[in-house]
């Protein structure tokens, strides 16, 4: 009989691929990474038939990405892969195929430049020395500056190209491709400076000088998040703009695929692109303090702000959901109606152009303003078509739960602490972006204010907040006077027994509860803290108790792929960043990518992948936006849920993160996210809720920050009140790594595992004082072990 926990106990070297080959970093996964990259890149501009390039094109490549491409962001998500393609690699492939020619003197210029400037890139030894200093500093602006500068020195800076070389390229080529690269990382945020959110003077000068000698100019953004387009958006000399994102190890190959027409772009923006950062509703909140972050715009995030508030529509450059194609589509035969507690909408999508392509159809609803005030439109459902040949048609049906259109009433205007559908007309709009959609003939009439779900005043503000209304005015949301609430242990009492039935017998000869009764209190205190890594893991393990034959389950970082240390000698597949994956709007593809990444994780005997991440793109400056999906909670939640289903289908647990409101990296351990319960529920918790209810993640990771004065890992209201009691979450909760909060308060709140290590002495003090009891520890241990049994079931 095979040991059902063998992969954690014995760390077998068992390839999972076809014909006994390894799947880790396999050709099959690399092909998938390239496919995903091509499907998520967004064509923002294409005038004068600039794209696709035609056979015989003579191409000049500008930008350091020609020889140094940024595959993804920095920090725990930085995947160590066998290679990283360059933009030149992508076009060189097309040149070998006889499709185009590349101007080599420019390639040689960048090759020499990158080789020379790479000497200025920080070595790992230098980086470690800087982190030793930074991590021992109290948080201050100097510490953040050091962190920011360190990450920026991990890549070469953009090169100045001499006029003579540009002129020579112009005489020998007909097309210029300029790639603009950005890099950000966890622990610090982006800045509204040239070379980061804004284009630098050097980049603007390069574009201008190139435009003077080239009739066909294409600009590609190699970035993990929205970056300013204004200097070129209205410049007709720039014929095309492609948001290529940070597309993983094969990203440059996908760039060439799209520009040359081998792949028809079908990505759609997961965020609104505006004409200026100054129009961002959270810009003032974002820089007000190092120690707190107010959410004054409330529920009006992204397109909900620009398309609702008076006068803001004109500030949009490219709307949410927007993306161009090389073909055209039409939506016909639309029918919609109410069926039970759902709205159903069916329609046909036809490719009316000359090349094959995919379209994303988006359904929005507009709720009555009522007493609460609402966004003008909100995404209700979406679907990406299959690859449609010219003239081919596909019938699609979308469904929307009527309750999903409810608003959270945190003021008592209708009924306090409840989800409500206010009376009036709920209109539906169907189209291909938030602004390009048509009103349907059908609308839903709610005759009376209706409570769809009653809740509780969890995570309420502890300070008065100035909160935005739909008409552009602000009102003062009074702080709560409620005392913070804690619950007790939620399982039978801990009664120690001296038996030693092994863990393998749980579910057959012994219940999980009785099995945990075999733990001593000291063993429980140790078990709820992280243990040393095993095998190739480098982020530690959950559990491990030899006396009762409980294995240690290894963890690994993500979410762009399995992250192993270079010294293991095991390169893995680096998939595109989360922003690009969300831009595919393709849940089937997200599932496929999740399953492939999980195969690599499982093959390396890892049990828990510390991914995916689903925080909201509230502000384009968040340093970890590349790890997150979208400004829209539905798109983010649905994409994440699909990825989780793919991952866990392979017997790997996810750790969905960072729960919640991790909207800013500066001073992330102490920063207090201050927001209304309505914004918390409708925007920032919503993607987590969707993922919990649609994909049943085995674990969730609490975030570093506070929410309304309480650290998330210490928040019973968040982790138990909302997550477990309201949403029905059955898994375990783990802290983020190195979190510096009170382990006693965490256990009491329902945070089961403390990573990367535990603090048994602190827990003993909590037991001695009576703040916690062994019953609290038992609850945590049971949840951790229950997750282990789920992994064994998948192995079975």
């Amino acid at each position: 009989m095979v040991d059902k926990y063998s992969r954690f106990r014995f760390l077998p070297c068992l390839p999972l691929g076809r014909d006994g080959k390894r799947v880790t970093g396999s050709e099959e996964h690399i092909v998938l990474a390239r496919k995903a990259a091509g499907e998520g890149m967004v064509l923002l501009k294409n005038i004068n038939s600039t794209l696709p390039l035609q056979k015989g094109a003579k191409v000049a490549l500008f930008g350091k990405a020609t020889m140094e491409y940024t595959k993804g962001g920095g920090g725990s998500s930085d995947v160590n892969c066998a290679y990283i393609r360059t933009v030149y690699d992508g076009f060189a492939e097309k040149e070998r195929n006889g499709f185009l020619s590349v101007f080599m003197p420019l390639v040689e210029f960048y090759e020499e430049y990158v080789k020379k400037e790479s000497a200025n890139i920080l070595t790992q030894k230098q980086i470690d020395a800087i982190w030793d200093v930074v991590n021992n500093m109290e948080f201050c602006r100097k510490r953040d500056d050091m962190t920011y500068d360190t990450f920026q020195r991990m890549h070469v800076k953009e090169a100045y190209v001499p006029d003579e070389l540009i002129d020579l390229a112009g005489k020998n080529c007909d097309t210029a491709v300029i790639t603009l690269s950005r890099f950000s990382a966890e622990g610090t945020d982006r800045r509204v400076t040239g070379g980061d959110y804004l284009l630098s003077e050097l980049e603007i000068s390069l574009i201008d000088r190139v435009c003077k000698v080239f009739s066909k100019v294409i600009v590609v953004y190699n970035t993990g998040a929205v970056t300013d387009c204004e200097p070129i958006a209205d410049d007709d000399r720039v014929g095309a703009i492609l948001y290529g994102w940070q597309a993983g190890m094969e990203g440059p190959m996908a760039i060439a695929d799209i520009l040359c027409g081998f792949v028809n772009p079908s990505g759609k923006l997961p965020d609104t692109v505006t004409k200026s950062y100054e129009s961002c509703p959270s810009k003032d909140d974002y820089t007000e303090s190092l120690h707190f972050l107010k959410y004054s715009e409330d529920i009006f995030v992204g397109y909900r702000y620009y398309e609702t508030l008076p006068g803001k529509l004109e500030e949009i450059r490219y709307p949410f959901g927007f993306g161009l194609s090389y073909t055209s589509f039409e939506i016909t035969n639309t029918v919609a109606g109410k069926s039970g507690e759902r709205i159903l909408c069916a329609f046909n999508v036809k490719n009316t152009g000359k090349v094959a392509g995919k379209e994303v159809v988006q359904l929005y609803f507009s709720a009555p303003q009522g007493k609460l005030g609402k966004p003008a439109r909100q995404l209700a459902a979406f679907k990406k078509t299959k690859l449609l040949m010219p003239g081919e048609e596909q019938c699609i049906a979308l469904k929307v739960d009527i309750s999903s259109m409810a608003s959270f009433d945190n003021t008592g205007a209708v009924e306090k602490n409840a989800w409500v559908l206010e009376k009036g007309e709920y209109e539906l709009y169907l189209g291909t972006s938030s602004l390009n959609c048509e009103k349907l003939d059908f609308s839903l009439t709610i005759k009376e204010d209706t409570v769809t779900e009653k809740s509780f005043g969890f995570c309420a503000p502890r300070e008065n907040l100035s909160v935005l209304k739909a008409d552009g005015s602000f009102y003062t949301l009074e702080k709560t006077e409620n005392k913070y609430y804690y619950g007790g242990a939620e399982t039978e009492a801990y009664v120690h027994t001296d038996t030693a039935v092994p863990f393998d017998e749980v579910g057959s000869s012994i219940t999980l509860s009785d099995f945990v009764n075999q733990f001593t209190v000291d063993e429980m205190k140790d078990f709820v803290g992280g243990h040393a890594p095993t095998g190739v893991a480098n982020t530690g393990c959950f559990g491990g108790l030899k006396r009762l034959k409980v294995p240690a389950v290894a963890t690994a970082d993500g979410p762009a792929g399995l992250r192993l240390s270079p010294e293991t000698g095991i390169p893995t597949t680096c998939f595109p960043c989360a922003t690009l994956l969300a831009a595919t709007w393709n849940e089937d593809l997200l599932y496929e990518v999740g399953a492939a990444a999980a195969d690599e994780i499982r093959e390396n005997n890892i049990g828990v992948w510390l991914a995916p991440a689903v925080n909201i793109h509230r502000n384009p400056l968040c340093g970890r936006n590349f790890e997150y999906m979208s400004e829209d909670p539905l798109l983010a939640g649905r994409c994440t849920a699909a990825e989780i289903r793919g991952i866990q289908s392979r017997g790997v647990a996810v750790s969905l993160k960072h729960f919640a409101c991790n909207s800013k990296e500066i001073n992330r351990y102490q920063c207090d996210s201050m927001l209304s319960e309505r914004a918390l529920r409708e925007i920032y918790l919503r993607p987590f809720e969707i993922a919990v209810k649609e994909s049943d993640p085995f674990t969730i990771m609490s975030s570093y920050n506070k929410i309304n004065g309480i650290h998330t890992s210490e928040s019973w209201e968040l982790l138990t009140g909302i997550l477990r009691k309201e949403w029905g979450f059955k898994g375990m909760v783990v802290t983020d790594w190195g979190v510096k909060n009170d382990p006693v308060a965490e256990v009491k709140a329902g945070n089961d595992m403390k990573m990367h290590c535990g603090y048994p002495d602190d827990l003993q003090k909590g037991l001695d004082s009576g703040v916690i009891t062994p019953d609290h520890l038992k609850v945590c241990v049971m949840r951790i072990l229950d997750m282990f049994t789920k992994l064994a079931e998948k192995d079975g």
Side-chain angles (χ1 to χ4, degrees):
M1 182 179 177
V2 177
D3 186 333
K4 60 184 177 181
Y5 296 103
S6 62
R7 65 175 162 130
F8 305 122
R9 288 187 174 129
F10 308 117
L11 308 179
C13 183
L14 295 175
L16 299 181
R18 297 189 183 96
D19 302 322
K21 296 181 180 179
R22 286 178 60 81
V23 296
T24 304
S26 64
E27 182 63 27
E28 179 184 0
H29 288 181
I30 289 170
V31 168
L32 175 60
R34 180 171 177 172
K35 170 187 170 183
E39 190 148 330
M41 293 182 181
V42 183
L43 184 61
L44 297 178
K45 178 182 179 181
N46 189 21
I47 61 175
N48 301 324
S49 301
T50 300
L51 294 176
L53 300 179
Q54 300 301 305
K55 187 173 182 179
K58 298 177 181 180
V59 180
L61 302 174
F62 292 89
K64 71 182 182 72
T66 301
M67 298 306 295
E68 193 216 46
Y69 175 79
T70 304
K71 73 181 190 304
S76 60
S77 67
D78 188 9
V79 176
N80 297 301
C81 46
Y83 60 83
I84 305 168
R85 297 291 192 189
T86 67
V87 173
Y88 171 63
D89 289 334
F91 282 86
E93 180 186 70
K94 300 298 183 280
E95 186 172 45
R96 289 192 298 271
N97 294 339
F99 184 80
L100 51 70
S101 60
V102 177
F103 182 65
M104 288 308 297
L106 198 53
V107 174
E108 292 163 0
F109 166 81
Y110 280 109
E111 184 177 27
E112 179 63 27
Y113 173 80
V114 169
K115 181 179 179 180
K116 178 182 177 181
E117 290 300 312
S118 291
N120 297 321
I121 294 177
L122 295 173
T123 66
Q124 191 58 52
K125 184 177 180 180
Q126 291 172 318
I127 293 170
D128 291 342
I130 294 171
W131 291 156
D132 286 343
V133 174
V134 167
N135 291 334
N136 285 293
M137 295 172 64
E138 291 294 324
F139 193 86
C140 58
R141 179 59 65 186
K142 180 180 179 180
R143 172 174 169 164
D144 182 56
D145 288 343
M146 290 178 65
T147 304
Y148 182 87
D149 292 342
T150 300
F151 279 120
Q152 294 305 309
R153 293 172 64 191
M154 292 181 183
H155 292 265
V156 302
K157 298 181 182 298
E158 191 54 76
Y160 176 82
V161 185
D163 288 340
E164 297 80 7
L165 187 54
I166 295 175
D167 291 340
L168 184 62
K171 292 176 182 178
N172 288 272
C173 302
D174 51 49
T175 301
V177 176
I178 305 171
T179 305
L180 308 176
S181 298
R182 297 293 184 267
F183 181 72
S184 65
E186 66 172 293
T188 188
D189 292 312
R190 299 173 69 197
R191 300 184 177 183
V192 189
T193 55
D196 198 337
Y197 179 80
L198 301 176
L199 301 192
S200 67
E201 291 183 3
L202 186 150
E203 290 169 330
I204 293 173
S205 170
L206 174 64
I207 294 170
D208 181 64
R209 290 183 294 136
V210 168
C211 285
K212 288 178 179 178
V213 298
F214 281 86
S215 60
K216 184 175 288 190
V217 178
I218 302 154
V219 175
V220 178
Y221 281 76
N222 169 208
T223 177
V226 167
T227 300
D228 187 40
C229 298
E230 278 313 286
I232 58 175
D234 281 332
D235 188 342
D236 288 346
R237 299 178 303 168
V238 175
I241 302 174
L242 179 73
Y243 258 14
W245 309 112
Q246 292 167 346
M249 62 191 293
E250 286 285 307
M253 311 305 284
I255 290 172
D257 287 340
I258 288 177
L259 299 190
C260 296
F262 287 57
V263 170
N264 190 348
S266 62
K268 302 287 185 175
L269 285 174
D271 298 321
T272 305
V273 178
T274 61
K275 295 179 180 178
S276 169
Y277 177 75
E278 291 304 306
S279 69
C280 179
S282 60
K283 68 178 179 62
D284 293 331
D285 290 343
Y286 215 73
T287 56
E288 182 179 356
S289 172
L290 298 177
H291 305 292
F292 60 82
L293 179 60
K294 294 178 181 177
Y295 290 62
S296 301
E297 77 278 20
D298 205 44
I299 62 170
F300 299 102
V301 178
Y303 71 92
R304 286 168 164 80
Y305 172 80
Y306 298 105
E307 297 180 23
T308 303
L309 272 75
K312 300 301 180 183
L313 196 62
E314 62 189 27
E315 296 175 2
I316 296 175
R317 170 56 65 184
Y318 301 112
F320 174 78
F322 172 80
L324 299 174
S325 171
Y326 296 150
T327 189
S328 56
F329 301 90
E330 66 175 7
I331 302 171
T332 59
N333 301 325
T334 302
V335 293
K338 182 176 180 291
S339 176
E341 298 305 313
R342 287 177 172 172
I343 293 173
L344 302 181
C345 179
F347 48 87
N348 292 342
V349 182
K350 183 177 181 179
N351 183 344
T352 57
K354 297 180 180 180
V355 296
K358 297 181 178 181
E359 179 62 287
V360 177
V361 184
Q362 305 156 37
L363 181 65
Y364 294 84
F365 74 92
S366 177
Q369 284 298 310
K371 300 173 184 176
L372 296 176
K374 318 286 194 317
R377 287 177 188 166
Q378 300 177 65
L379 184 65
F382 61 89
K383 180 67 177 180
K384 193 165 199 173
T385 68
K386 65 180 183 178
L387 185 66
L388 296 175
M389 296 297 111
E392 187 177 6
E393 199 165 7
Q394 180 181 357
C395 181
I396 291 176
L398 299 176
K399 59 184 179 181
V400 180
D401 290 335
I402 294 173
S403 61
S404 70
M405 299 191 293
S407 302
F408 190 81
D409 183 358
N410 62 319
T411 63
V414 179
E415 182 163 335
K416 191 168 185 178
N417 300 325
W419 290 91
V420 298
L421 287 168
E422 291 197 78
K423 62 184 178 182
E425 295 295 315
Y426 288 72
E427 299 173 342
L428 298 176
Y429 296 82
L430 190 69
T432 56
S433 78
S434 61
L435 290 184
N436 182 31
C437 51
E438 295 184 2
K439 184 177 179 297
L440 302 186
D441 292 336
F442 170 81
S443 63
L444 176 70
T445 302
I446 301 294
K447 295 182 178 180
E448 299 293 339
D449 292 343
T450 304
V451 174
T452 62
E453 181 182 354
K454 292 187 177 181
S455 185
F456 193 83
F458 290 134
C459 301
R462 265 68 186 175
E463 302 289 340
N464 291 348
L465 297 178
S466 179
V467 176
L468 183 64
K469 297 168 65 176
D471 63 4
S473 64
F474 288 81
Y475 74 98
T476 299
L477 181 64
E478 300 289 339
K479 66 180 180 180
T480 181
E481 300 298 334
N482 295 340
K483 185 178 180 180
Y484 195 78
Y485 183 70
Y486 279 108
E490 297 176 340
T491 188
E492 58 265 39
Y494 168 75
V495 181
H496 179 62
T497 60
D498 290 327
T499 55
V501 179
F503 184 50
D504 303 67
E505 296 297 317
V506 170
S508 55
S509 65
I510 192 170
T511 66
L512 182 58
S513 179
D514 287 341
F515 176 77
V516 177
N517 282 338
Q518 298 178 124
F519 279 61
T520 65
V521 172
D522 285 344
E523 287 171 337
M524 289 197 295
K525 290 186 301 180
D526 177 72
F527 198 83
V528 298
H531 288 188
T534 58
V536 297
N538 66 348
T539 51
C541 290
F542 292 172
L545 179 60
K546 289 184 178 180
R547 184 178 71 83
L548 296 177
K549 297 185 179 180
V550 178
V553 174
T555 66
D557 274 326
L562 169 61
R563 184 173 190 262
L564 300 178
S565 296
E567 55 264 29
T568 64
I570 305 174
T572 64
T573 305
C574 181
F575 292 97
C577 73
T579 307
L580 183 148
L581 293 179
T584 69
W585 292 62
N586 188 335
E587 294 171 84
D588 293 337
L589 182 58
L590 267 291
Y591 182 100
E592 190 178 359
V593 169
D599 281 342
E600 299 197 10
I601 294 160
R602 181 187 177 92
E603 186 173 70
N604 288 281
N605 301 304
I606 306 293
V608 182
W609 195 28
L610 308 177
V614 71
N615 297 91
I616 289 292
H617 289 175
R618 179 195 178 206
N619 185 295
L621 300 188
C622 177
R624 292 184 94 164
N625 274 351
F626 64 90
E627 289 189 47
Y628 307 149
M629 296 279 184
S630 171
E631 71 183 29
D632 182 79
L634 178 74
L635 178 62
R638 293 287 297 275
C639 288
T640 300
E643 187 177 8
I644 291 172
R645 290 193 296 271
I647 295 163
Q648 295 190 163
S649 73
R650 297 300 202 264
V652 171
V654 303
S655 193
L656 179 63
K657 61 185 184 183
H658 305 90
F659 192 60
C661 295
N662 184 191
S663 303
K664 182 179 179 180
E665 283 296 293
I666 293 177
N667 197 19
R668 57 184 177 164
Y669 290 100
Q670 296 297 327
C671 190
D672 186 6
S673 290
M674 302 168 65
L675 72 167
S676 73
E677 295 166 81
R678 184 180 182 190
L680 180 66
R681 299 277 194 156
E682 292 188 21
I683 305 296
Y684 300 97
L685 294 186
R686 182 64 175 151
F688 288 97
E689 182 181 7
I690 291 170
V692 166
K693 292 180 176 179
E694 293 188 4
S695 64
D696 187 25
F698 291 173
T699 86
I700 285 180
M701 185 190 298
S702 53
S703 55
Y704 288 127
N705 56 280
K706 301 175 184 177
I707 295 179
N708 289 327
I710 308 294
H711 276 289
T712 63
S713 65
E714 298 176 355
S715 176
W716 187 95
E717 295 185 1
L718 179 69
L719 303 183
T720 300
I722 294 175
L723 179 62
R724 290 195 168 99
K725 289 184 175 294
E726 292 191 7
W727 297 354
F729 176 66
K730 302 300 182 185
M732 60 165 281
V733 177
V734 58
T735 67
D736 204 341
W737 268 231
V739 71
K740 301 172 177 61
N741 304 334
D742 179 4
V744 174
E746 289 170 337
V747 166
K748 190 176 178 183
N751 202 116
D752 306 300
M753 175 68 73
K754 180 85 165 180
M755 291 300 287
H756 62 288
C757 64
Y759 297 86
D761 291 344
D762 290 343
L763 293 177
Q764 186 59 53
K765 291 177 182 178
L767 291 167
D768 293 342
S769 66
V771 176
I772 57 172
T773 68
D775 294 358
H776 289 90
L777 294 176
K778 181 179 177 181
V779 174
C780 296
V781 173
M782 286 185 66
R783 289 177 183 143
I784 297 166
L785 291 176
D786 182 63
M787 188 272 290
F788 287 11
T789 65
K790 292 176 182 176
L791 295 179
E793 290 170 2
K794 292 289 185 179
D795 283 352

